[in-house]
Amino acid sequence: MKILMDEFIASNQKAGYRSLTMILRRNHVLIVNHKRVCRLMRKLGITSIIR
């Protein structure tokens, strides 16, 4: 969850669950599902800025 929070802050709080899933897969070699990332974001209370 720390990695997820760090990546979200690094994106200036603009990344949604789809882009965070890709970042975690590519940069951190984590096997994560988009549904899991969405669930963790809800649990942490973080939401992306809707454009």
Side-chain angles (χ1 to χ4, degrees):
M1 285 197 277
K2 175 124 174 60
I3 296 171
L4 180 68
M5 196 66 160
D6 291 341
E7 289 295 337
F8 182 71
I9 292 170
S11 72
N12 294 324
Q13 301 179 354
K14 292 181 182 175
Y17 72 93
R18 291 179 181 178
S19 57
L20 283 175
T21 303
M22 297 311 290
I23 290 169
L24 294 176
R25 286 180 183 169
R26 291 178 183 161
N27 299 348
H28 299 283
V29 193
L30 293 174
I31 302 171
V32 290
N33 191 324
H34 70 276
K35 291 179 276 189
R36 175 168 294 205
V37 172
C38 191
R39 188 169 51 242
L40 286 173
M41 286 179 69
R42 240 184 283 128
K43 185 176 180 182
L44 293 172
I46 56 178
T47 56
S48 64
I49 296 173
I50 299 172
R51 296 180 219 160

